[in-house]
Amino acid sequence: MSPVAKSITPPAFARLPRTALEVRLAARPVGLPGLDDFEIVEVDVPGPSVGQVVVRNLFMSLDPGMLTLIRGDSRLPMRPYEVGEVMYGDAVGEVVASSDPALSEGELVVHRLGWREYAVAEAGAFRRVDRAAYPSPSMHLGFGLVAYVGLMDAAGLRPGDTVFVSSAAGATGSMAGQIARLKGAGRVIGSAGSPDKVAHLTGSLGFDAAFDYHDGPVLDRLREAAPDGIDVYFDNVGGEQLRAAVEVMNVHGRIAVCGALGLQSTGRPDEGPGDLLSVLGKRLTLRGFTLWDHLDRAAEFGEQFRAWLRDGSLVYDETVIDGLRSAPGALLDLVRGRFTGKTVVQVGV
Ligand SMILES: NC(=O)c1ccc[n+]([C@@H]2O[C@H](COP(=O)([O-])OP(=O)(O)OC[C@H]3O[C@@H](n4cnc5c(N)ncnc54)[C@H](OP(=O)(O)O)[C@@H]3O)[C@@H](O)[C@H]2O)c1
């Protein structure tokens, strides 16, 4: 009798690559980092110990906030990066080996272990997400929820409000402007850094008005775009745009402070909101917020977001960068204004 050929499936960890790449912070820069401040290192990929999971990262998020962590600034409620350590950040990936019954091979997960091709950690570090929720797994990294809680919770958006959004062609801003419109804003105004981006705002993203913040004093441009004043300012930038918004705000106006791109892109300290007598006289509210305090909104937002995508009332804009080796340069290009929408790195290419 001839021997019967038996196909044997090797355990998943036997199919893992021997090594993979990760990005470490090589030095703490003064001001903006250069490419020399990052180190790309090849490390071993271990099989999972009991209770651990190995995830092959598909996409990782680039966020200007990472520049703040690189500088070692401890004013954000996030741990700064340490020199010599692999950096961290949001990523989405696929479970490729598991020694914990909570997660199985093939499942899609989001987690904070970006800046590496393979993530190995306790199962609790990963959160399972629905592969069918979006056309691309990268969309699990979008900043729509940031925009939503900034508008609804920090700014208390009301129907009919005139809303101004800065860095409006970026990841958060492109969502904030569109969500404001969908939630009943009367007029939505955006600012961005080039004529092409301004055209993109009033074209595909449906803003009512937009201007290039390089075109003369922001205060003049904002007054032209909002002749009846603004009720809500979604602030991604700080600096001159924040001071102009304070001047143009209506009584009881609300400012949601989401980011500090002026500081993040230059390393120079922000000069603050300006005229406090206007803040007082108009009884303005200026409220900083972080997504982490509002995660209970995720399910409610996700449902609305998917419905808007399905019926075409919201455009999701994304820039995809190829390969982990390109990530440090892309982080710098992000704050130089080279991209639109949410910028992600496709890790395994
Ligand atoms: N609060 C939270 O929970 C939370 C969560 C996520 C992100 N954030 C923060 O929110 C902000 C926006 O994040 P994002 O990912 O959506 O970034 P983004 O807007 O996509 O950032 C990139 C854009 O920043 C703009 N920019 C750079 N320097 C600028 C300057 N000096 N003045 C005005 N615009 C400048 C550039 O656009 P132009 O070409 O238009 O200049 C560039 O395209 C960041 O500060 C981020 O750290 C906060």
Side-chain angles (χ1 to χ4, degrees):
M1 211 165 96
S2 61
V4 179
K6 232 178 166 184
S7 119
I8 297 170
T9 310
F13 54 85
R15 298 194 301 271
L16 293 175
R18 211 175 49 75
T19 62
L21 299 179
E22 66 181 32
V23 182
R24 296 178 188 166
L25 183 64
R28 179 90 66 210
V30 178
L32 277 186
L35 290 181
D36 288 352
D37 295 318
F38 301 88
E39 189 186 11
I40 299 173
V41 184
E42 200 166 341
V43 293
D44 289 343
V45 180
S49 308
V50 175
Q52 282 192 329
V53 169
V54 183
V55 169
R56 181 171 69 89
N57 281 339
L58 301 172
F59 294 93
M60 63 171 250
S61 169
L62 289 181
D63 169 357
M66 290 166 168
L67 292 167
T68 321
L69 305 180
I70 286 173
R71 258 196 303 278
D73 196 322
S74 56
R75 285 174 292 173
L76 291 179
M78 283 121 82
R79 186 176 61 78
Y81 300 139
E82 294 300 332
V83 173
E85 278 185 14
V86 57
M87 292 163 32
Y88 68 88
D90 291 345
V92 59
E94 193 171 50
V95 176
V96 288
S98 177
S99 290
D100 190 299
L103 286 170
S104 312
E105 267 181 64
E107 288 190 303
L108 194 68
V109 290
V110 292
H111 58 93
R112 299 281 288 149
L113 300 167
W115 293 95
R116 63 197 97 197
E117 290 180 325
Y118 281 78
V120 185
E122 306 304 311
F126 304 99
R127 181 168 59 84
R128 182 189 300 108
V129 292
D130 180 6
R131 199 181 274 279
Y134 300 115
S136 164
S138 60
M139 290 176 70
H140 285 285
L141 303 176
F143 281 170
L145 181 59
V146 180
Y148 185 76
V149 302
L151 289 168
M152 307 310 288
D153 296 338
L157 180 73
R158 298 173 196 147
D161 277 346
T162 293
V163 177
F164 170 47
V165 181
S166 54
S167 197
T172 313
S174 61
M175 292 290 102
Q178 295 185 84
I179 292 171
R181 173 174 47 77
L182 288 161
K183 294 304 258 182
R187 181 171 173 77
V188 181
I189 298 154
S191 67
S194 72
D196 284 352
K197 286 188 179 181
V198 168
H200 176 56
L201 294 179
T202 51
S204 29
L205 300 188
F207 282 64
D208 297 292
F211 62 87
D212 183 337
Y213 61 87
H214 298 108
D215 284 348
V218 171
L219 183 57
D220 294 349
R221 299 292 82 77
L222 191 53
R223 282 202 168 116
E224 284 160 14
D228 297 325
I230 55 179
D231 304 299
V232 165
Y233 173 38
F234 191 100
D235 184 18
N236 280 315
V237 172
E240 186 188 358
Q241 302 209 49
L242 173 57
R243 290 192 290 279
V246 165
E247 290 306 306
V248 180
M249 293 302 285
N250 292 326
V251 169
H252 293 142
R254 287 93 63 206
I255 300 172
V257 179
C258 177
L261 281 164
L263 162 71
Q264 287 159 334
S265 63
T266 63
R268 285 194 294 276
D270 195 281
E271 286 164 19
D275 178 13
L276 284 181
L277 213 51
S278 289
V279 174
L280 167 67
K282 292 192 271 188
R283 286 85 86 203
L284 304 182
T285 304
L286 187 144
R287 186 163 169 203
F289 73 96
T290 72
L291 174 64
W292 313 113
D293 294 335
H294 301 267
L295 291 175
D296 55 328
R297 290 278 214 170
E300 158 203 331
F301 168 72
E303 224 166 273
Q304 294 180 68
F305 182 56
R306 283 187 289 278
W308 290 328
L309 289 171
R310 266 196 309 275
D311 71 16
S313 50
L314 182 140
V315 172
Y316 188 76
D317 188 17
E318 181 182 69
T319 299
V320 180
I321 306 295
D322 281 350
L324 191 63
R325 286 186 188 279
S326 308
L331 179 62
L332 303 178
D333 283 346
L334 171 63
V335 290
R336 290 182 188 125
R338 303 251 161 95
F339 312 130
T340 61
K342 176 69 202 160
T343 301
V344 293
V345 176
Q346 188 164 11
V347 175
V349 293

